[in-house]
Amino acid sequence: MLFKRNRRQIFAIGLMLTASFAESPATEGSCPPSQPECKPAVAAATTPQAAHKRKVLIIHSYTSEYPWVRKLREGIFEEVNQLPMEQRPEIYEEQLDAARLGKAAIADHVAEHMTQKYASVAFDAVFTELQDAAIFLLERPRLFPGVPRYYFDFTAQSLPTDRPSEGTFVTLPSDWKITLQTILDVLPQTRRIVIIGDKWTEHPQSRIQAIKSIADHFVGKVELEYWEDIVFDELFEQVQHLPKDNAILYISTFRDRLGNKGIPAMVAPKLSQIASVPVFIVADSFVNPASLGGYMVSADKEGHLIGRIIAAGNDKPLQMTPDEFREALNGYYFEDSQLKRWGIPDERLPKGSVILNREKSLWESYRVYIVAVLVAFALESLLIVTLIRSNRRRKHAEAEILRYSGHLEEMVKARTAELAEAKLRAEQANRAKSQFLANMSHELRTPLNAILGFSGLMQRLPDISDSQREYLAIINRSGEHLLRLINDVLDMAKIEAGRIVLEIAAFDLSALVRDITDMMQVRAEEKGLQLLLDQSSQFPRLIRGDEGKLRQIITNLLGNAIKFTQQGGVTLRLDVRVKADVQWLILEVEDSGFGIAAADLARVFDAFVQAGKTSAHQGTGLGLAISRQFVQLMGGDLSVDSTLGKGSVFRAEFPVELAAESEILARLPEHGPVAGLEPGQADCRILIVEDQPENQQLLQKLLESVGFQVKIAENGREGVELFQSWSPHFIWMDRRMPVMDGVEATQRIRKLNGGQAVKIVALTASAFKEQQQEMLDAGMDDFVRKPYRFDEIYDCMAKHLGIKYRYDTDAAEAKDENLTELSTDRLAQLPAALRQDLRNALETLDTEDTMAIIQQIGQIDEKLGHTLSRLADCFDYQPILDALDSANSR
């Protein structure tokens, strides 16, 4: 980057900020350009202890709606927020809106307003960004007197004699030779480059003059034509008819010959969409799916540089040459869809080019797992249908018994044999059903163990993209949901027998709702539907209840609504009401779908029933029946109100108990994921006895990744032989295997020399306690059910072997940070005006203003901003208002 000190000279200066701007102003250094050791210097972001909170003002030429400003601000705050909270400076911002108002409108009354606004603020530095803000500050030397000034992206060729030259001037390091050569490299057939920029604005003119100064280098290679005397409508018409051997280099256009204003970030996309030839751009704020790209300067990178300067100390300056600054702030960026549009192969792109918006499809990356999930869903449907039909046969047999028992005594005697036979058939059907459930449980849980395990392992890989990590998270959540469905279906027999019970525990209801809506949002977007969440300010965040059953209720209702809605949207409403001093949760799902006829409403909650237009939709018709049973089990009811052709509203009401945040904390893990074994422990030999290759591979990777020695046996007989030859300390034993199952293998090992000392734990997909007790009776020490979570494996081994692990502490730290209590002391330290603005926004229920003010607070106090945002997301306004009252009373 090139630094200017006065009107006529360009110096390489050492830009070093002092440890505290308040104690001594920033200084400017200079050295003769002839000395090769002279390099521009930017202080590294290693800030010493500051005596007070530094204050910095940034004056933007345009508003944050302008893409350049938005990207630049993101870069600044990413750098500043890396500092510890106590060392972060207070950053104030002003936006002049020069693109809309023009320079003439930025008059002295704006400066007077700033003088009054910041009369009590002693700034340590002032930064201007883009040309208009620089001129505004240069023309007003009495504004912020004595404060060091930094003018970024300064493009004026010289300073008038009546303007002071104090301050540091920074220009973006464009290299127009590289810019033009990039076009010729990417499009070698180009014979003419049309350069577009208006001649009524200083910024594009300075760039065009720079291009003209190096045009001699391209004589004989390509013709350069400059379109400066433009009218926007004529420009848009002309670019549609350019010959194929032309290319466009769009500089920037702020106004045309008729005085019409044009924001470059809006003009560039339109040019790119309608032009008959590729459009190259010079700034990343113009990037859009219609622009091809090119060699360009980056607003985000400039923001990072400003942030580093704001946060910098003077003890370790970062030395960079002008070429290094140019490479640091420029880059080659190209849009994938435009490369395909113009038939440009990757081989033509310059080395180090970044191709935007190119990634593998979800199907290409994870089709094996997607197919596995679909197969599991199909098996689940078969299980449900078979279970219900079996239950119906059993009920029919029992009804026959009851009907015959009412007959006359002589009829009873005559039919005794028949009744005994019918009872025998019913018992046989029950035994067959139990055996079927046991087999299906194993067949479903075994592939689910691999799906959840490998998707969890892939989420830990460091080299996957954010979108791939998001897709893996969706697969993992869907698999977890499927597992919960299987568990619930296997317990349906207990519902009829009156043996099902609620599993009451404290949980975060808001997090549950967000998790479900995030998962359902994908389905809604695929159908072009809106999925809206409407919850009242009194809605409780932390409750005690059965989280799994409530998850299935909400998922079933939302899934049905999306399935039977073709246009419009689906709304999930959450509210709470008090009945007889008990809080009742009100849950409504409204859709704009087909609706349900009045004749079908009475049977909509029956099993195997799908009311309305169902020809295009597949399903078992069990979702609503199961949901209503669960709501009634919770002490409430599920009802429906529907109008044919307009949509339906399903409404669930049931009592809930409020929970304390300490209960949620108690359920969270105290440490992060296992990172390895603690040093100094003896080596442990682990034997895996498992016949499924996927499960072998998953468990082997889990154990070897933390330092265990592992061997694998594919059946019980091989497991017995390996125990005799290798003497493992711990055995993971699958129950169902060919040749010899896990129960028999365990019994044989226990009879061998050393067999009583080894720890044997069953890995089972069984859902029935009877089979689990059978494994314990065979001599196993414990069991873990498939699909298992990684921590269950590690915790079980720690329990039986007494080993200790090293943990990744990030998760525990995140727990403490995410559940920070609202601090009245932190609120009291905020400016009184900012606290009053927050109160006004909360009392008027203005959610947009509320979140904007909380964002400002987060820039001052990140933890306080996070806590306020968490409460506001849940519409939990009352604790914030109470804390404001306490802070104001101090």
Side-chain angles (χ1 to χ4, degrees):
M1 180 170 287
L2 302 178
F3 291 79
K4 298 189 204 174
R5 181 175 171 84
N6 54 37
R7 293 176 294 174
R8 301 181 182 275
Q9 296 176 321
I10 300 177
F11 293 98
I13 67 170
L15 181 59
M16 300 183 180
L17 301 183
T18 59
S20 170
F21 281 120
E23 294 180 0
S24 60
T27 60
E28 298 181 63
S30 64
C31 59
S34 60
Q35 295 183 10
E37 64 271 20
C38 282
K39 300 179 181 180
V42 178
T46 55
T47 305
Q49 287 290 336
H52 72 292
K53 279 279 189 179
R54 291 181 288 128
K55 297 177 175 60
V56 177
L57 173 63
I58 302 174
I59 303 177
H60 300 280
S61 294
Y62 309 122
T63 68
S64 58
E65 296 178 355
Y66 192 66
W68 179 273
V69 178
R70 185 170 63 250
K71 287 178 174 290
L72 181 133
R73 294 180 71 250
E74 291 173 356
I76 291 174
F77 286 103
E78 282 181 10
E79 287 291 340
V80 173
N81 289 341
Q82 293 180 22
L83 293 174
M85 180 63 68
E86 65 275 6
Q87 296 180 7
R88 292 180 189 173
E90 296 179 10
I91 298 180
Y92 300 76
E93 296 182 85
E94 291 291 338
Q95 299 171 351
L96 299 183
D97 200 6
R100 182 173 64 88
L101 300 177
K103 295 179 183 178
I106 307 174
D108 290 338
H109 71 273
V110 178
E112 180 63 25
H113 170 73
M114 288 189 189
T115 301
Q116 296 177 4
K117 182 177 180 180
Y118 299 115
S120 61
V121 181
F123 288 114
D124 298 283
V126 178
F127 289 78
T128 68
E129 186 269 314
L130 292 179
Q131 185 71 11
D132 295 294
I135 299 300
F136 168 79
L137 190 60
L138 285 166
E139 291 179 343
R140 293 164 177 83
R142 295 183 180 180
L143 187 62
F144 312 117
V147 179
R149 302 180 177 198
Y150 300 87
Y151 304 94
F152 265 79
D153 200 8
F154 188 76
T155 58
Q157 299 302 311
S158 62
L159 293 174
T161 56
D162 60 342
R163 296 179 186 170
S165 60
E166 290 82 1
T168 300
F169 297 83
V170 183
T171 61
L172 293 186
S174 300
D175 190 315
W176 299 107
K177 290 183 183 178
I178 297 178
T179 301
L180 296 175
Q181 188 60 47
T182 298
I183 299 176
L184 298 181
D185 293 340
V186 174
L187 298 174
Q189 75 278 11
T190 302
R191 296 296 176 263
R192 182 177 67 160
I193 299 176
V194 177
I195 301 170
I196 300 175
D198 72 85
K199 68 178 181 180
W200 294 276
T201 312
E202 186 175 11
H203 193 266
Q205 271 303 295
S206 65
R207 291 179 170 180
I208 289 178
Q209 292 305 318
I211 294 176
K212 290 180 178 179
S213 68
I214 55 95
D216 291 343
H217 293 275
F218 294 90
V219 173
K221 295 182 179 179
V222 67
E223 176 187 353
L224 301 181
E225 182 172 319
Y226 305 92
W227 289 8
E228 303 172 78
D229 187 11
I230 63 172
V231 175
F232 285 126
D233 290 340
E234 296 176 0
L235 173 65
F236 295 143
E237 174 65 24
Q238 292 172 7
V239 298
Q240 299 182 55
H241 306 291
L242 291 174
K244 292 184 179 180
D245 61 355
N246 282 213
I248 294 174
L249 175 60
Y250 178 69
I251 300 297
S252 58
T253 52
F254 289 88
R255 61 182 67 242
D256 64 10
R257 179 175 3 109
L258 302 179
N260 298 317
K261 297 178 181 178
I263 298 177
M266 300 177 65
V267 176
K270 187 169 183 179
L271 282 176
S272 303
Q273 291 169 358
I274 66 177
S276 60
V277 296
V279 176
F280 292 81
I281 54 180
V282 297
D284 65 354
S285 59
F286 302 166
V287 171
N288 61 86
S291 299
L292 177 59
Y295 183 73
M296 64 188 69
V297 68
S298 170
D300 176 71
K301 292 183 177 180
E302 181 183 352
H304 278 278
L305 178 61
I306 295 176
R308 289 163 62 191
I309 294 174
I310 291 175
N314 63 349
D315 51 348
K316 292 183 179 179
L318 174 63
Q319 301 290 334
M320 297 181 72
T321 66
D323 285 342
E324 289 172 340
F325 274 113
R326 175 179 55 76
E327 293 178 3
L329 298 183
N330 289 269
Y332 300 98
Y333 300 91
F334 297 93
E335 168 63 38
D336 182 56
S337 62
Q338 292 302 302
L339 293 174
K340 294 176 180 175
R341 173 186 174 186
W342 301 108
I344 300 172
D346 293 354
E347 293 76 14
R348 287 192 203 160
L349 304 182
K351 185 178 180 181
S353 295
V354 176
I355 301 178
L356 304 175
N357 300 323
R358 175 181 292 182
E359 60 180 23
K360 290 184 179 179
S361 66
L362 177 63
W363 172 254
E364 292 173 339
S365 301
Y366 308 111
R367 56 185 173 186
V368 174
Y369 302 105
I370 294 174
V371 170
V373 170
L374 293 176
V375 171
F377 272 113
L379 292 174
E380 175 209 4
S381 300
L382 176 62
L383 170 64
I384 294 173
V385 172
T386 305
L387 175 63
I388 297 302
R389 288 179 177 175
S390 177
N391 285 341
R392 284 186 170 180
R393 288 195 298 269
R394 178 178 58 80
K395 287 182 178 180
H396 179 73
E398 292 174 350
E400 288 289 322
I401 295 174
L402 293 175
R403 188 164 55 252
Y404 281 122
S405 64
H407 288 183
L408 298 174
E409 182 177 355
E410 55 271 15
M411 181 66 72
V412 172
K413 292 180 180 179
R415 299 289 179 89
T416 299
E418 296 179 13
L419 291 175
E421 184 179 355
K423 182 178 180 181
L424 178 61
R425 287 198 301 268
E427 292 175 348
Q428 290 174 343
N430 276 332
R431 286 193 296 270
K433 177 197 69 176
S434 297
Q435 184 62 38
F436 173 79
L437 289 176
N439 293 337
M440 290 305 297
S441 171
H442 181 272
E443 296 302 323
L444 288 172
R445 290 172 182 273
T446 297
L448 265 180
N449 186 61
I451 293 170
L452 293 176
F454 282 106
S455 63
L457 283 176
M458 293 182 70
Q459 283 181 286
R460 297 184 176 186
L461 296 177
D463 56 346
I464 64 174
S465 66
D466 292 340
S467 60
Q468 290 172 333
R469 198 178 304 279
E470 179 183 356
Y471 297 153
L472 286 170
I474 293 174
I475 292 175
N476 202 271
R477 289 199 302 269
S478 299
E480 292 283 356
H481 175 63
L482 175 59
L483 176 59
R484 286 188 290 269
L485 290 179
I486 293 172
N487 290 337
D488 290 331
V489 169
L490 293 173
D491 286 338
M492 283 187 62
K494 297 180 181 179
I495 296 177
E496 295 182 350
R499 292 159 48 195
I500 194 70
V501 294
L502 296 174
E503 298 179 4
I504 304 299
F507 66 97
D508 189 331
L509 180 56
S510 295
L512 172 66
V513 171
R514 285 196 301 272
D515 189 17
I516 296 174
T517 52
D518 287 346
M519 180 174 64
M520 290 297 177
Q521 188 71 42
V522 177
R523 299 189 193 176
E525 290 176 352
E526 289 176 348
K527 297 186 68 176
L529 303 176
Q530 282 188 318
L531 178 57
L532 304 177
L533 176 61
D534 180 12
Q535 57 189 39
S536 71
S537 60
Q538 302 299 321
F539 177 70
R541 184 173 70 86
L542 307 178
I543 66 171
R544 300 183 74 252
D546 193 320
E547 182 180 4
K549 292 180 176 58
L550 183 55
R551 178 186 292 272
Q552 186 170 349
I553 293 169
I554 300 175
T555 302
N556 281 341
L557 295 180
L558 284 178
N560 276 357
I562 294 173
K563 181 194 297 184
F564 294 102
T565 302
Q566 299 303 319
Q567 60 182 1
V570 176
T571 301
L572 172 61
R573 295 191 185 90
L574 299 164
D575 200 357
V576 65
R577 295 181 184 175
V578 178
K579 299 181 182 180
D581 296 331
V582 176
Q583 287 197 325
W584 283 61
L585 183 65
I586 312 299
L587 188 153
E588 288 186 352
V589 175
E590 181 178 4
D591 64 69
S592 57
F594 304 129
I596 304 172
D600 294 330
L601 285 175
R603 60 191 188 93
V604 71
F605 294 107
D606 293 343
F608 297 104
V609 170
Q610 288 186 338
K613 298 180 180 180
T614 61
S615 60
H617 303 284
Q618 300 297 322
T620 62
L622 287 172
L624 291 177
I626 294 174
S627 297
R628 192 176 204 182
Q629 287 181 346
F630 285 164
V631 173
Q632 291 174 346
L633 189 64
M634 295 175 182
D637 196 17
L638 177 62
S639 59
V640 60
D641 184 16
S642 182
T643 302
L644 193 62
K646 294 186 177 180
S648 305
V649 179
F650 285 84
R651 178 185 178 92
E653 299 182 55
F654 49 91
V656 295
E657 297 178 24
L658 300 183
E661 194 153 350
S662 57
E663 297 181 73
I664 305 296
L665 284 169
R667 295 182 60 197
L668 294 176
E670 295 298 328
H671 52 71
V674 172
L677 293 170
E678 278 193 0
Q681 300 182 90
D683 291 340
C684 290
R685 296 182 296 277
I686 311 300
L687 174 61
I688 301 173
V689 186
E690 166 69 64
D691 64 316
Q692 293 293 331
E694 297 86 357
N695 289 329
Q696 293 174 1
Q697 184 180 5
L698 174 61
L699 188 54
Q700 183 179 14
K701 285 183 177 295
L702 285 180
L703 299 179
E704 290 180 345
S705 66
V706 297
F708 291 111
Q709 300 180 38
V710 180
K711 286 191 177 183
I712 296 175
E714 294 186 354
N715 56 61
R717 179 179 297 171
E718 290 185 11
V720 174
E721 293 171 356
L722 266 175
F723 170 78
Q724 292 176 297
S725 62
W726 195 48
S727 300
H729 301 89
F730 191 101
I731 300 176
W732 286 108
M733 183 73 73
D734 189 19
R735 180 180 178 276
R736 295 183 58 181
M737 292 179 291
V739 183
M740 181 185 296
D741 63 19
V743 172
E744 183 179 352
T746 300
Q747 292 171 339
R748 293 195 179 190
I749 289 173
R750 291 302 188 199
K751 295 177 181 178
L752 298 174
N753 185 26
Q756 293 298 322
V758 66
K759 300 297 181 181
I760 305 177
V761 175
L763 275 175
T764 176
S766 172
F768 297 96
K769 292 184 177 179
E770 295 84 359
Q771 294 178 342
Q772 295 167 2
Q773 186 60 46
E774 176 188 4
M775 290 181 284
L776 296 177
D777 293 340
M780 298 185 185
D781 298 285
D782 205 346
F783 63 88
V784 173
R785 292 174 59 183
K786 300 177 184 177
Y788 49 76
R789 291 176 175 82
F790 299 166
D791 285 344
E792 291 179 284
I793 295 295
Y794 295 135
D795 291 345
C796 181
M797 298 181 70
K799 170 185 174 183
H800 292 286
L801 294 178
I803 57 179
K804 296 182 179 179
Y805 303 105
R806 293 182 293 104
Y807 296 96
D808 185 346
T809 59
D810 289 347
E813 292 173 359
K815 163 193 162 184
D816 295 336
E817 179 180 349
N818 291 337
L819 293 173
T820 302
E821 295 287 350
L822 183 57
S823 170
T824 303
D825 292 337
R826 290 178 179 268
L827 279 173
Q829 295 175 7
L830 296 176
L834 191 59
R835 294 201 304 270
Q836 185 60 40
D837 289 343
L838 178 59
R839 169 176 283 280
N840 293 340
L842 292 172
E843 291 178 344
T844 57
L845 300 180
D846 191 330
T847 56
E848 292 185 3
D849 280 357
T850 298
M851 297 312 297
I853 295 169
I854 290 175
Q855 185 177 11
Q856 295 180 36
I857 294 173
Q859 296 175 4
I860 301 173
D861 187 331
E862 185 180 23
K863 289 187 178 179
L864 177 60
H866 177 80
T867 304
L868 291 172
S869 177
R870 175 169 53 82
L871 294 171
D873 283 343
C874 304
F875 299 94
D876 198 0
Y877 292 164
Q878 193 59 48
I880 304 178
L881 292 171
D882 293 341
L884 285 172
D885 290 338
S886 299
N888 291 333
S889 64
R890 297 191 174 187

